[in-house]
């Protein structure tokens, strides 16, 4: 059976870049970014008995276009969580012109509900924790609409600590820590961690990220040749912003052990939205809420 793995990171830390780099390597498939591995940890046995409902949850938990139809996803919803996540990866590879039987690792990019551990931890999966210079992550909040709330240094620092608290719950023997500045060289370390040899790039088919880039313009950069522009991006922060950020991170570091409830709150807001959207596609008779 292929190795199952998860990319975890603070948003805007380069997880899409890492996903694209891994997905280029022969034998690896990285499905579109999704919270579906976490969904699997909160659903009931009744949910699992309804493949169309499971497929609807997968579709709404996936944040960029997936090549699978609802019916194709439903066909993957059998067996354990490992079986389901690997079947989805193989089905995606096949739809994109790659040989499903050649898949050695299915790597899910799933940073948005990172504090809901039950689903991923219940599988045999390994964890790739990606970190980026916090100055770069903070600077990026000024370039995306959804980062508006985190432009305050203290709010950003608390947000960051909530993710670090979630990372601390992952068993050390099941994870590898990667720095964005070490890409793309760190890809070989990750493949070794996944018990794989680097056999070079795929010779046929396309990646799910290339498919998503056809409609998501912001993904065009990550599917092209990797170039680390972080030093010039950090330079956009003023000295005053840097001082404020450093002070905020120093103050908020002590709050990390108490960040579980904050991460839990935001993750469940996202999870409830996934369930509500899925109800628009399929309403199971047993549904009583997430």
């Amino acid at each position: 059976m292929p190795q199952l793995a998860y990319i975890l990171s603070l948003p805007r830390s380069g997880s899409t870049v890492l996903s694209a780099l891994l997905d280029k390597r022969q034998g690896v498939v990285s499905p579109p970014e999704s919270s579906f591995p976490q969904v699997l940890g909160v659903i009931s046995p009744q949910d699992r008995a309804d493949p169309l409902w499971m497929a609807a949850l997968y579709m709404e938990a996936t944040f960029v276009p997936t090549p699978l139809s609802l019916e194709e996803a439903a066909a993957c919803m059998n067996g354990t969580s490992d079986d389901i996540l690997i079947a989805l990866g193989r089905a995606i590879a096949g739809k994109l012109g790659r040989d499903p039987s050649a898949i050695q690792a299915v790597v899910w990019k799933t940073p948005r509900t990172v504090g809901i551990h039950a689903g991923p931890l219940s599988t045999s999966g390994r964890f790739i924790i990606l970190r980026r210079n916090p100055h770069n992550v903070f600077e990026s909040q000024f370039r995306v609409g959804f980062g508006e709330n985190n432009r305050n240094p203290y709010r950003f620092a608390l947000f960051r600590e909530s993710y670090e608290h979630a990372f601390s719950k992952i068993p050390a023997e099941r994870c590898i820590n990667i720095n964005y500045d070490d890409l793309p060289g760190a890809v070989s370390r990750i493949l070794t961690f996944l018990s794989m040899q680097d056999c070079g790039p795929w010779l046929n088919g396309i990646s799910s990220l290339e498919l998503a880039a056809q409609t998501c313009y912001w993904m065009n950069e990550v599917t092209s040749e990797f170039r680390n522009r972080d030093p010039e991006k950090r330079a956009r922060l003023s000295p005053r912003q840097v001082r404020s950020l450093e002070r905020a991170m120093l103050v908020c570091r002590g709050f990390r052990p108490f960040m579980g409830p904050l991460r839990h709150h935001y993750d469940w807001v996202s999870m409830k939205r996934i369930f509500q959207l899925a109800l628009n596609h399929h309403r199971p008779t047993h549904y009583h809420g997430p």
Side-chain angles (χ1 to χ4, degrees), residues 30-289:
S30 187
E33 179 181 351
S34 180
S35 287
F36 190 64
Q38 284 84 354
V39 169
L40 290 173
V42 302
I43 58 177
S44 68
Q46 291 88 346
D47 289 322
R48 286 180 177 266
D50 186 341
L52 279 175
W53 171 236
M54 293 274 284
L57 286 170
Y58 164 70
M59 302 298 280
E60 298 305 337
T62 302
F63 302 105
V64 294
T66 174
L68 301 181
S69 68
L70 186 71
E71 292 72 20
E72 289 167 336
C76 300
M77 302 301 173
N78 300 294
T80 67
S81 294
D82 287 69
D83 294 332
I84 291 169
L85 294 172
I86 289 171
L88 286 167
R90 282 175 162 162
I92 288 167
K95 287 281 287 190
L96 297 175
R98 293 174 173 174
D99 180 4
S101 67
I103 300 300
Q104 299 178 55
V106 179
V107 183
W108 287 83
K109 174 181 177 288
T110 176
R112 298 203 187 189
T113 48
V114 69
I116 299 178
H117 305 97
L121 284 176
S122 70
T123 70
S124 62
R126 301 179 185 179
F127 297 84
I128 305 162
I129 300 177
L130 177 66
R131 292 183 175 85
R132 194 174 194 172
N133 187 309
H135 291 192
N136 283 107
V137 183
F138 180 62
E139 186 273 335
S140 75
Q141 308 303 310
F142 296 85
R143 292 187 283 108
V144 293
F146 58 80
E148 186 173 357
N149 290 333
N150 282 332
R151 293 171 189 174
N152 177 286
Y154 283 91
R155 183 182 173 100
F156 170 80
L158 286 172
F159 182 69
R160 178 172 176 264
E161 292 300 332
S162 76
Y163 272 80
E164 288 294 336
H165 177 272
F167 300 155
S168 71
K169 302 301 180 182
I170 306 299
E173 66 275 10
R174 293 180 63 182
C175 71
I176 184 173
N177 291 278
I178 298 294
N179 290 318
Y180 180 85
D181 285 342
D182 293 333
L183 297 177
V187 168
S188 61
R189 284 181 53 212
I190 296 171
L191 294 178
T192 299
F193 174 68
L194 299 179
S195 302
M196 288 183 59
Q197 291 184 336
D198 190 346
C199 298
W202 283 100
L203 301 178
N204 50 27
I206 64 171
S207 74
S208 62
L209 290 95
E210 290 172 316
L211 176 69
Q214 295 175 10
T215 53
C216 304
Y217 68 89
W218 60 88
M219 297 187 72
N220 286 323
E221 183 177 353
V222 301
T223 57
S224 58
E225 185 176 355
F226 175 72
R227 177 188 170 202
N228 189 341
R229 297 172 51 215
D230 275 11
E232 64 185 81
K233 291 178 180 179
R234 285 196 295 272
R236 297 171 185 170
L237 294 175
S238 69
R240 181 179 179 181
Q241 286 176 309
V242 171
R243 289 193 300 269
S244 296
L245 177 60
E246 290 293 334
R247 182 167 55 248
M249 290 193 298
L250 181 63
V251 169
C252 294
R253 173 62 183 85
F255 290 96
R256 183 179 299 179
F258 311 103
M259 288 292 100
L262 179 66
R263 183 75 265 134
H264 183 81
H265 167 73
Y266 283 111
D267 287 345
W268 272 99
V269 168
S270 178
M271 191 65 70
K272 288 177 181 178
R273 182 174 181 273
I274 289 168
F275 273 75
Q276 186 57 53
L277 290 171
L279 286 171
N280 296 335
H281 285 98
H282 181 76
R283 181 177 290 272
T285 56
H286 64 270
Y287 182 73
H288 298 291

